[in-house]
Amino acid sequence: MKRRSVQHLKLDFQGSKEREMHFEHENFAAGISPFLRGPYSSMYVQKPWTIRQYAGFSTAEESNDFYLKNLKAGQKGLSVAFDLATHRGYDSDHERVQGDVGKAGVAIDSVEDMTLLFENIPLDKISVSMTMNGAVLPIMAFYILAAEEQGVNLQDLSGTIQNDILKEFMVRNTYIYPPTKSMKIVSDIIEYTTKKMPKYNSISISGYHMHEAGATPEIELAYTLADGLEYIRTGLRAGLNIDDFAPRLSFFWGIGMDHYKEIAKLRAARILWSKIVKQFNPKNSNSLRLRTHCQTSGWSLTAQAPFNNVARTTIEAMSAIFGGTQSLHTNALDEALSLPTDFSARIARNTQIYLQDETQITNTVDPWAGSYHVETLTEDMAKNAWKLIQEIENLGGMTKALEMGIPKLKIEEAALKKQARIDGNQDLIIGMNAFKQKNTRGIDSLEVDNSFVRKTQIERLQKLKKYRNKQRVQQSLLELTNCAISGKGNLLEFAINAGRHQATLGEISLALEKKFDRYEAIPNVLKGIYHKEISDDPNYQSASALVTEYRNSQGEPPKIFLSKLGQDGHDRGLKIIASSFADLGFEVHLGTLFKTPKEVVQESLQKNVALIGLSSLAAGHKTLIPEIIKELKLFNREDILIIVGGILPRKDQLILLEIGVSCIFGPGTKISQAAKEILLKLIQKKDRL
């Protein structure tokens, strides 16, 4: 068979960029390309969506116990959350991860941890989705070896590895290696799973983190499909036929509160993906089918009146279902405050059970089909997303566009505009900037003892290294490095061999880093966008006036160094603060990601700032922020104020305030109010000095 050459295609509807798209909806059935009404003809009538819960925390044993309870309570598949140390390719004993181990996911350092994670869970019967991109090679290797230890054949494994590194460079930032080198890893995993794991999805092309970072539905749709197009080219370059791997590609969308638009997004996604893949002349109709997992929005949840989040999650879940998702995770009500508790996780899981078993919505296919409103939104969504896809194509594809920083810039602009509309009360968030409650009931939050988890993991690592064959470990790691250098062979096969000889996740990652290097993004501060959207707001004007007053009295603007600590790459909040504070008149210095406390203090002193602003979303604040305060004391610079923002339980806030943090701002804080409070504290401190 003659295979089409891999090239950058001008993807046009009906052969013309200029021609307006018209959908003949009555001809677009479920189960038939372009799959407008669903990827399968009967949709939920015969098989409802899979109920998943994205979860993982602390040690492998604790997460395993949580998984077993959930499966017993009606969950149908597992979605594994790994801690940030694991995501970034560090073992738990690395100095850079002291505040991250076991906090925002489960700590996995070796194949022994992975075996414990799935103990008493038959991997030939339970579908496993793993959200992993940076350290995808060792995690995939450990999963395969854990299945091997259970006696499960590779052909019987089902589930999904995210393996979507491109979106990490746009939004989530849990990358390890540079984009081009990372794509070699993606390619080898697609090749390996295509040949040996026919039931396993080799990649989950994810728009979810774009959604969480502030992308509009159109941007999320366009950039996710553009990523998918890039992965198709990657598979073809690896020598695979389009029909060998396209049927096992899957997608992952975030679902927000714009109910009808989110339904339209999923419907438009199927049409556009079918059109994209058709350009490569597949013979198998399954290659054209877009199958997807969805997760309700984490960003839409509020810390204020958290029980309102149950309603938000239900509305978002219904959007995903009406849009035709194949599996679904519903967020818990307390996730704007901490990791979910058993209490909140049960409500989130049961929300899906109610929708499946009590509402009768599984008895029809695409219930909104024919609605003038939904069909119009679907058409508009497809046309607008297609324009954005063509922009990426004209730049040479998504990898080229990422190197230019274009997608990241558009998402950050969208996030700034949205935040300004919320701060200016143009977009209402119930309980946060509208219909506020004076007294809200406090709720329990899940607490992970980070020091205990790290101690446990380090002891396990020490024991592993004591009894393994060091020579075999070093030889297997050298072979992996040589594969990376030569480009010959499959990296996943070499990683599996290293894991079999008990090489750790950190060692496997380092073996690749020797050739690929570790990537570091240069941050930028966007100016003028927030100001343009909110300049007429009285609160913004009064905050700006206070900055001017400070500058006139001190002879310089207020200087702030903004940073994230540890390995958390979610930087939406940090970027919004940087840009909005710059528009207000602050002198803003934005640090690179993944800083240690010592590095933050060192850079702050070099910039001679009066304020250090720290963003915390991954629960490492109790370990890392006290280290900042200790470092400042060593230099006799207690005059520098520490400001903290992010997801912090109330009891943790009180602890941080007691040890010297000046201000703490949770999710939903209006930026102008935060700026005024910070400036007043700074003026008071300078007056005392």
Side-chain angles (χ1 to χ4, degrees):
M1 183 189 304
K2 185 177 180 181
R3 194 172 289 141
R4 287 193 63 177
S5 62
V6 181
Q7 56 184 321
H8 294 287
L9 302 169
K10 296 289 183 181
L11 302 172
D12 305 325
F13 277 94
Q14 300 177 3
S16 170
K17 284 191 291 187
E18 290 76 22
R19 187 178 299 174
E20 185 178 354
M21 287 169 49
H22 293 287
F23 295 112
E24 298 177 5
H25 297 295
E26 65 273 15
N27 295 328
F28 287 0
I32 302 173
S33 176
F35 304 104
L36 168 73
R37 300 187 63 183
Y40 303 106
S41 58
S42 59
M43 285 304 292
Y44 306 140
V45 176
Q46 288 189 338
K47 184 183 178 183
W49 67 91
T50 301
I51 298 172
R52 293 188 183 275
Q53 195 150 27
Y54 179 56
F57 59 91
S58 187
T59 61
E61 294 94 330
E62 284 202 57
S63 289
N64 173 262
D65 183 60
F66 184 79
Y67 294 158
L68 289 170
K69 288 178 183 175
N70 285 0
L71 290 169
K72 188 176 181 181
Q75 188 172 311
K76 303 300 183 184
L78 298 179
S79 292
V80 182
F82 298 97
D83 73 359
L84 290 165
T86 303
H87 273 287
R88 293 270 294 146
Y90 293 117
D91 286 335
S92 297
D93 57 359
H94 199 283
E95 62 181 359
R96 286 192 168 272
V97 300
Q98 59 175 318
D100 297 306
V101 178
K103 274 292 191 182
V106 59
I108 299 293
D109 291 321
S110 68
V111 68
E112 279 76 8
D113 288 336
M114 191 70 84
T115 301
L116 287 170
L117 185 68
F118 295 120
E119 191 170 20
N120 297 319
I121 297 172
L123 293 177
D124 55 343
K125 294 180 174 61
I126 297 295
S127 170
V128 176
S129 172
M130 297 187 290
T131 300
M132 177 54 64
N133 301 287
V136 65
L137 274 179
I139 286 298
M140 194 67 186
F142 295 164
Y143 168 73
I144 288 168
L145 290 167
E148 189 179 279
E149 197 160 315
Q150 286 188 7
V152 175
N153 292 322
L154 287 180
Q155 296 92 325
D156 295 326
L157 291 173
S158 65
T160 306
I161 185 73
Q162 192 163 93
N163 194 28
D164 176 12
I165 199 63
L166 289 175
K167 68 101 168 68
E168 298 295 329
F169 297 103
M170 267 186 264
V171 286
R172 192 168 177 245
N173 302 310
T174 49
Y175 41 70
I176 301 176
Y177 316 109
T180 304
K181 303 297 184 184
S182 297
M183 288 298 283
K184 163 65 174 167
I185 296 172
V186 172
S187 174
D188 283 6
I189 289 173
I190 292 174
E191 180 186 32
Y192 184 94
T193 54
T194 297
K195 292 177 179 177
K196 300 187 178 184
M197 301 169 68
K199 294 182 181 179
Y200 205 81
N201 299 322
S202 59
I203 192 166
S204 175
I205 305 156
S206 175
Y208 182 82
H209 296 100
M210 299 180 206
H211 165 89
E212 290 293 279
T216 64
E218 293 87 350
I219 290 175
E220 179 192 359
L221 174 57
Y223 289 173
T224 306
L225 295 181
D227 283 351
L229 177 54
E230 196 82 339
Y231 293 131
I232 283 180
R233 295 186 178 117
T234 299
L236 294 175
R237 289 191 192 102
L240 299 173
N241 184 285
I242 185 70
D243 290 322
D244 290 340
F245 66 95
R248 301 314 306 168
L249 301 178
S250 67
F251 287 81
F252 174 24
W253 308 101
I255 304 295
M257 285 293 289
D258 196 336
H259 183 64
Y260 296 111
K261 225 174 187 185
E262 295 294 359
I263 297 169
K265 180 176 74 181
L266 298 190
R267 301 171 91 243
R270 290 191 290 270
I271 295 172
L272 295 182
W273 183 244
S274 179
K275 190 72 178 180
I276 286 171
V277 179
K278 193 173 287 185
Q279 306 276 335
F280 297 97
N281 295 323
K283 305 299 183 231
N284 183 351
S285 63
N286 289 336
S287 296
L288 304 170
R289 178 183 286 139
L290 183 148
R291 299 164 301 111
T292 193
H293 170 72
C294 290
Q295 181 173 340
T296 60
S297 174
W299 181 84
S300 70
L301 303 179
T302 66
Q304 301 85 352
F307 285 98
N308 289 350
N309 293 331
V310 176
R312 290 188 176 95
T313 295
T314 304
I315 292 165
E316 291 166 352
M318 291 177 70
S319 296
I321 295 160
F322 290 146
T325 191
Q326 277 60 71
S327 72
L328 178 62
H329 164 89
T330 33
N331 284 333
L333 64 94
D334 51 358
E335 290 190 49
L337 298 166
S338 68
L339 291 168
T341 61
D342 284 345
F343 169 76
S344 65
R346 181 176 178 80
I347 293 173
R349 182 178 61 252
N350 284 356
T351 297
Q352 293 196 55
I353 296 174
Y354 302 146
L355 290 170
Q356 276 194 5
D357 294 347
E358 294 188 20
T359 63
Q360 310 303 314
I361 62 176
T362 61
N363 291 345
T364 186
V365 177
D366 192 16
W368 283 103
S371 158
Y372 177 82
H373 183 57
V374 171
E375 300 296 9
T376 301
L377 285 174
T378 301
E379 181 172 339
D380 290 344
M381 181 75 66
K383 285 173 24 178
N384 293 333
W386 196 256
K387 289 177 184 176
L388 291 169
I389 292 170
Q390 288 183 324
E391 286 179 11
I392 297 298
E393 284 296 283
N394 290 335
L395 294 170
M398 185 53 86
T399 303
K400 294 285 187 185
L402 285 171
E403 290 170 354
M404 298 178 206
I406 304 298
K408 192 176 187 71
L409 180 67
K410 287 218 174 195
I411 292 171
E412 289 175 5
E413 286 178 352
L416 276 168
K417 289 176 181 178
K418 179 67 175 177
Q419 187 62 49
R421 289 196 299 273
I422 293 170
D423 286 351
N425 293 336
Q426 297 170 59
D427 290 357
L428 298 184
I429 310 294
I430 307 305
M432 194 177 81
N433 66 357
F435 304 103
K436 297 180 186 178
Q437 293 177 247
K438 289 185 178 179
N439 298 305
T440 58
R441 176 185 162 190
I443 60 175
D444 295 330
S445 58
L446 178 66
E447 178 73 17
V448 174
D449 186 346
N450 167 246
S451 59
F452 169 78
V453 177
R454 190 164 189 249
K455 179 174 178 291
T456 300
Q457 291 299 116
I458 290 173
E459 288 174 353
R460 191 175 289 162
L461 277 167
Q462 289 171 342
K463 184 178 179 181
L464 175 78
K465 291 178 180 180
K466 182 178 179 181
Y467 292 106
R468 68 186 183 177
N469 186 315
K470 295 184 180 66
Q471 187 175 353
R472 286 184 179 178
V473 172
Q474 292 306 313
Q475 180 60 33
S476 65
L477 292 171
L478 179 61
E479 290 169 356
L480 178 59
T481 302
N482 289 338
C483 177
I485 292 170
S486 68
K488 296 177 181 178
N490 188 290
L491 289 169
L492 180 53
E493 288 186 349
F494 284 102
I496 292 169
N497 185 52
R500 186 172 282 116
H501 292 301
Q502 297 182 304
T504 68
L505 176 134
E507 290 169 337
I508 292 172
S509 300
L510 183 59
L512 292 168
E513 189 179 332
K514 288 176 180 178
K515 168 59 182 173
F516 291 167
D517 296 326
R518 190 169 273 268
Y519 180 77
E520 184 175 281
I522 305 302
N524 62 305
V525 178
L526 299 180
K527 295 182 180 179
I529 296 169
Y530 184 84
H531 172 81
K532 183 178 179 181
E533 295 288 329
I534 201 174
S535 58
D536 293 336
D537 180 68
N539 287 313
Y540 178 83
Q541 291 173 344
S542 62
S544 183
L546 192 57
V547 173
T548 302
E549 181 184 325
Y550 177 93
R551 185 171 59 243
N552 292 338
S553 66
Q554 300 297 322
E556 63 179 11
K559 297 180 182 179
I560 186 167
F561 181 80
L562 293 170
S563 183
K564 290 189 74 72
L565 294 172
Q567 300 303 306
D568 180 19
H570 290 90
D571 61 352
R572 171 184 177 150
L574 192 72
K575 290 288 188 70
I576 285 174
I577 292 297
S579 296
S580 58
F581 271 41
D583 283 356
L584 283 166
F586 282 74
E587 182 180 312
V588 175
H589 299 277
L590 182 58
T592 56
L593 292 170
F594 315 123
K595 292 292 185 185
T596 64
K598 285 185 179 180
E599 289 168 341
V600 168
V601 170
Q602 189 176 45
E603 286 197 46
S604 299
L605 296 179
Q606 289 172 354
K607 304 295 185 184
N608 193 29
V609 299
L611 303 155
I612 296 176
L614 304 170
S615 172
S616 175
L617 292 176
H621 47 270
K622 283 171 65 177
T623 303
L624 298 172
I625 292 174
E627 291 297 316
I628 295 270
I629 294 170
K630 286 180 186 176
E631 283 292 313
L632 287 173
K633 285 181 179 177
L634 289 175
F635 290 96
N636 296 315
R637 291 302 307 269
E638 292 98 323
D639 59 301
I640 297 177
L641 299 188
I642 306 296
I643 315 300
V644 180
I647 298 176
L648 294 89
R650 179 63 182 165
K651 58 185 178 181
D652 290 0
Q653 293 183 29
L654 295 174
I655 292 169
L656 294 177
L657 290 170
E658 285 176 4
I659 65 171
V661 170
S662 296
C663 303
I664 297 175
F665 302 104
T669 302
K670 189 172 286 191
I671 286 172
S672 55
Q673 293 175 347
K676 286 192 283 188
E677 185 176 336
I678 289 167
L679 283 167
L680 291 172
K681 291 260 187 183
L682 185 58
I683 291 167
Q684 290 171 6
K685 189 145 193 170
K686 285 191 174 292
D687 288 345
R688 287 198 300 270
L689 294 173

